[in-house]
Amino acid sequence: MDFMGTILEFVKCVGPPIRQYVRRHRKLSEIMRNLERALQELNSKKADIKATLKAECDLGNKQPSNEVNDWWENVERINNEAHSIEEEVKKGKYFSRARLGKHAEEKIQEVKEYYQKGCSFPSLVIDEPPSRGLTLTTATLAGEKTKKVVERIWEDLMGDKVTKIGVWGMGGIGKTTIMKEINNRLQKETNKFNVVIWVTVSQPLDLIKLQTEIVTALKQSLPENEDKVRRAGRLSEMLKAKAKFVLILDDMWEAFPLEEVGIPEPSEENGCKLVITTRSHRVCRSMKCKQVAVELLSKQEAFNLFIDGVGSSILQVPALNKEIINEVVEECGCLPLAIVTVAASMSGEEEIYEWQNALNELRGRLRSLNDVDTKVFGRLEFSYHRLKDEKLQQCFLYCALYPEDFAIPKDELIDHWIAEEFIEEVKDVQVKYNRGHTILNRLVNCCLLESAEDGSCVKMHDVIRDMALRITSKSPLFMVKARERLREFPGEKEWNANLERVSLMENDFEEIPSNMSPHCDILSTLLLQCNEHLQRIPECFFVHMHGLKVLNLSRTNIEVLPSSVSDLMNLRSLLLRWCENLERVPSLAKLLALQYLDLEVTSIEEVPEGMEMLENLSHLYLSSPPLKKFPTGILPRLRNLYKLKLSFGNEALRETVEEAARLSDRLDTFEGHFSKLKDFNIYVKSTDGRGSKNYCLLLSAYGMGGFLITDLKVDKSVFLEGCKICEREEPIVLPEDVQCLDMYWVDDVASLNDVLPREQGLVNIGKFSHDLKVLSFGRCPNLKSLFSLRLLPALQNLEDLEVIECDSIEEIVAVEDEETEKELATNTIITLPRLKKLRFSNLLEFKSFCSDNGVLVCNSLQEIEVRGCPKLKRLSLSLPLLDNGQPSPPPALKVIEIKKELWESLEWDQPNAKDVLNPYCKFVVL
């Protein structure tokens, strides 16, 4: 009986699981239909929430709550995971049916939970944190007259009677500089206004574009498919919701009715202000603005500004006298832009004959010019001709192909210069880039270009650009109709046979006339990017453009590239990025000169025919979505590759993964997107520690992301997103020299120790990267701590540490066992000597950096940010000591962003630590 009882008990235990297994195996199709229905309901709720969010946020001062953002991202994840299950089911593996049925049922339950969450939000939005606008980079104000203008404008802004101000004066006189100074003072010195909005208007006037620029400055949006009147109504509501605003419209060329755009009329009652800058006092009068004229500098102010630019040491040069310098200054006409530009071109010249020659050149150019505007151009052209080097001049003129006030990416510009052969032919691509950056620095130092805010772009002053376009209206001949929002493509008569460069970027063409085939044999650059309505290009369009070297069709809506491109044998750069509907590229076999090929984010599924012939290719971007076919043997033939970007999404490309890895030691930059851990590991193992100089490796279960290597903080980065990386059968293998490790939604990691290299079951810290500079964890739900004490030796180069929305983490440094606990008890100091930035955000269980006995020493700290950490008790920060034994702040510390209530509650190991750090605190609301 005991034996039978045991059998019955066994049957009771195993029976239900077996029945479940059989049911899921037999009814997999029904389970998948249930999952599909549940997903439809969830996605309908998602669409409803999206519509409601848009309606509420468009009214202004509102943003989605953190709870809603979390819900939204989880719904995205659920959809991706459900899609993965569906793909597995389609494979039809018999023995996987029960397992997939189990996963599908679990997913159905999760879908239902999130549907219920979506129905129960008390509110979808919260108030936006206060932000009055942007602080802009600006030059020093020149002259007392200019400073008085600033004070007049400021006085009118602070008063109530003047509501609209028009700042006018000739081009290059300093109107924008004045208003940048005003903008920055409004950010720092007053709380009179809720928001300051800066928009550059430029020409030709496009009211729909102006509406878009204003809402973008407000960090909001308008429907693109609505007419101007409806958009104006929405914009008006947004601005009214901001209440007291200052709207600065820089570089206006013609007047317009405010109500047509949706700008509420400024008045004493609403407290709003409008300031415009323009070259015409008529525009000020038409806009009913109080006019503020900006005058030329006095002779002494002009001289002082010139000396600031050329360098005061010039006054000590024996060969030069003040008289010759004064004469050159006088030829600049007391115009700030001309003075600064000419001074920059004369910097370093100490021979008298150079100054005499410069004076003669200036006088010669101005003698034949009559009106004021052309004299301005004459003075600026002097600086252009002082460049002397023809290729340097060509590099400068090339910048005029971009729209007015456009931030031109430096690397893109240099790529085009290289393709145009402005930069001397050398084999080493890095040498070419170095030369390109040297040219950019020269043009910036000569004040012919301006460095943009983030340092990665340059801009042309609008007057300098006008001067460049004046030059290119003759020779070399350009046609520039960039950002003019043209609906009709330029007619064949406009395509002069002598055209060398054409820019038609950012217009509204839908097609190019079917029989158009311009005879432009010496045309070398054609920029057609960002024509998002352009769908068709006739087959014959490129037939007579045999000299073409740069063709940019990025962000157009074309589906097919004309076969006539196949015969452009001088083409060096073919750019088709973000042509999302592009399905076919003709044969590239004849394009032997091609160096740049960008097919990123297109619908192309196979490598273009003839790719193996492109042995001069230096830049190849083929990612997102991943190709279905990539024949082996192509990559090894591309011997001159410098930058490579590929996506690997299926097993058919596994051999290509290995080829890419073997190629990597010859590359400057590799960016690889992997959807499978096995492919990621194959790549890392195959490089065998000989990877490219720069790399970005993305392993993601959510499809291919859009990471760009230029956006990264460091040279060697790994991003892990929504994937399993600690599988016992195949744990992740990380490159030994990785500098940035970013994990997002990785749910099988409890600590960084989980991804350490292991040999025969033992952790090998020696093989973990000692070069790690950036460590970031986001939404890793099972993360308990970041690392253990024994990993500290490998983290001595860490500079940036970030942990965001990891609900389970309690501390950063963990105690693993009794041995390390004893070590911590005796050795309480944890040193991260290069750590500059600490950021902890929304960590619900986070209590301290390390255990009660441990303290953190990092004297290089610059920024500390703590938000949403309600259980935090101590930061465990050990401050350096002065000679008298009192604590002092870390020498490089700039700011501590933290909620005031939390700051007041923190415990400190050192007396007076809070008082010492208090001046660095910037108290936040959230």
Side-chain angles (χ1 to χ4, degrees), residues 398 416-422 500-501 524-525 549-550:
Y398 202 93
H416 288 351
W417 289 349
I418 293 172
E420 278 273 13
E421 299 178 90
F422 296 158
E500 293 186 34
R501 291 173 193 99
S524 60
T525 286
K549 295 176 181 177
V550 177

Side-chain angles (χ1 to χ4, degrees), residues 249-279:
L249 299 179
D250 186 41
D251 198 19
M252 273 183 58
W253 285 75
E254 54 185 291
F256 62 87
L258 295 179
E259 65 272 13
E260 282 194 25
V261 176
I263 301 169
E265 184 70 33
S267 66
E268 285 189 58
E269 289 72 29
N270 61 26
C272 299
K273 305 275 187 174
L274 172 70
V275 188
I276 68 170
T277 72
T278 177
R279 298 186 193 181

Side-chain angles (χ1 to χ4, degrees), residues 14 145 212 305 330 432 571 651 657 739 872:
V14 302
K145 287 183 181 179
T212 302
L305 181 60
E330 283 179 20
K432 293 181 184 179
L571 196 65
E651 295 181 8
V657 174
Q739 295 176 345
L872 183 63

Side-chain angles (χ1 to χ4, degrees), residues 180-232:
K180 283 184 174 180
E181 175 73 16
I182 292 287
N183 173 86
N184 294 349
R185 281 181 67 176
L186 286 169
Q187 310 297 333
K188 297 174 186 176
E189 297 182 22
T190 179
N191 292 319
K192 182 178 176 68
F193 303 101
N194 296 331
V195 65
V196 181
I197 307 160
W198 178 288
V199 173
T200 302
V201 182
S202 301
Q203 58 176 330
L205 179 63
D206 181 339
L207 296 187
I208 288 181
K209 179 174 177 286
L210 178 56
Q211 290 172 331
T212 302
E213 295 280 354
I214 294 172
V215 295
T216 301
L218 292 171
K219 298 181 180 177
Q220 296 181 51
S221 62
L222 287 171
E224 291 185 8
N225 55 352
E226 277 192 346
D227 60 39
K228 184 172 65 180
V229 175
R230 289 176 181 272
R231 286 163 58 95

Side-chain angles (χ1 to χ4, degrees), residues 879 887-889 893-898 903-904 912-923:
L879 301 181
S888 66
L893 188 63
K894 296 176 182 176
V895 66
I896 301 173
E897 293 189 22
I898 193 169
W903 175 254
E904 297 295 341
N912 304 326
K914 184 182 293 184
D915 295 334
V916 168
L917 297 176
N918 211 56
Y920 298 90
C921 286
K922 178 183 177 182
F923 295 121

